[in-house]
Amino acid sequence: MHMFTSADFTATYNSGNFPLQILPSDRIHYGLSVQSPLRNIELFALDCVSTPTMDPDASPKVTIIQDGCDIDPTLTRDSTRSTDMALYFSIQAFTFPDSVDSNLVYLHCTMVVCLKDDLNSRCREGCISARRRRDVGGDDRFRRDSSNDLQESVTQGPFRILSDQVAVLSYIA
């Protein structure tokens, strides 16, 4: 996973840039990708959440993608750059008002890599809404399993949301 400096997805931040200083009005640009010599694979974003810590299970939590479905209303996918092996998207900056450090944000994503020709892959199934899970299997935890799928979790961050007052003072200085 990479965090990009702008919506053109050409330049990434490096480790020395973190924690990034971001304004509440900024959009944050991410890329998920898999590097492989295999050509018969595809990448699927299963879940992406943001928390104020390195722990993806921490609270509070903002859900960006869940079960392959776009949840965050500010999420925008870049379909012109995205391929079978890469997904590019942007979200609006936000804070966690009830956390110890409400302005610190990490993004955590779980990705699945599948064989394109595997009819039982999680990638093939796509978005599974809660309603669809109940309709298909009667079990809210229904998931299609394939022994060929590979699941990996990644974390990016942190970035710090500057308050409007801090941003004005930084601009004046």
Side-chain angles (χ1 to χ4, degrees), residues 52 59-60 95-104:
S59 288
T95 61
F96 296 103
D98 298 331
S99 69
V100 173
D101 188 348
S102 64
N103 297 332
L104 201 59

Side-chain angles (χ1 to χ4, degrees), residues 110-127:
T110 301
M111 305 176 297
V112 180
V113 179
C114 309
L115 295 174
K116 286 184 199 178
D117 57 358
D118 184 351
L119 300 177
N120 293 317
S121 76
R122 182 60 186 90
C123 299
R124 178 74 58 127
E125 197 165 26
C127 168

Side-chain angles (χ1 to χ4, degrees), residues 148-169:
N148 297 319
D149 293 353
L150 174 66
Q151 188 169 306
E152 188 66 38
S153 296
V154 292
T155 297
Q156 180 66 272
F159 59 87
R160 185 176 302 281
I161 305 294
L162 299 174
S163 69
D164 290 332
Q165 184 178 14
V166 171
V168 169
L169 292 175

